[in-house]
Structure formats: structure tokens, C-alpha cells
Amino acid sequence: MQPAQPKNPLHGFTLQQILELLLAHNGGFSGLAKLVKLNCFSKDPSVSSSLKFLRKTPWARTEIEQLFIRQQLYLKKD
């Protein structure tokens, strides 16, 4: 059993939830591509292909997670 992480803003969010909240908040893939320069957001983007890339690329995942934290989207958890 993992210990609780009350001060970790990413705790309780899956990568898919993070990506979907970022897309909704930033106007879809075109808005997100302006903030984070990744081809998976600008060339034939989809949620599934973006998730596949982010899971395989730690530096890109870190950028997305940091944007999520900077925009305080973790406060929108239901």
C-alpha cells in the first residue's frame, strides 16, 4: 500500500486525466502545441498517440506535468 501524498498536486491523477484537463483548459491540441512544442500535439494529434509518446518519453511527460501544476488544474479535481 502506497502512503498518502497530500502535498503532491499530481497525486490521484492519471496521465490521461492530466492531458484531457490541459486540452480542455488550453483550447485543444492547437492551444497546447503553442505552450509545449511537441510534435505529438501539432502533427496529426490524438489523445492515444500523445499518451503513448508521453509514457515513453520522461522529459516530455515532465513538461506536461509541470504545465498542469503551473496552471493549477489539480484544483479542478471532482
Side-chain angles (χ1 to χ4, degrees):
M1 189 166 167
Q2 293 187 355
Q5 300 179 13
K7 294 186 180 189
N8 180 355
L10 298 174
H11 182 71
F13 287 96
T14 65
L15 184 57
Q16 183 171 352
Q17 290 171 321
I18 290 170
L19 181 58
E20 289 173 350
L21 284 168
L22 283 167
L23 288 170
H25 184 75
N26 294 294
F29 282 106
S30 61
L32 194 53
K34 290 176 185 174
L35 296 172
V36 181
K37 306 292 187 219
L38 295 174
N39 284 339
C40 68
F41 298 151
S42 58
K43 295 182 181 177
D44 197 25
S46 73
V47 172
S48 64
S49 67
S50 297
L51 286 171
K52 195 176 294 186
F53 175 76
L54 293 170
R55 286 184 180 121
K56 290 180 181 180
T57 316
W59 63 265
R61 182 179 182 144
T62 299
E63 280 196 41
I64 292 301
E65 290 172 345
Q66 292 304 313
L67 178 62
F68 179 78
I69 292 169
R70 280 194 310 274
Q71 292 184 344
Q72 297 185 346
L73 297 178
Y74 55 90
L75 298 174
K76 296 187 178 198
K77 187 167 181 165
D78 294 327

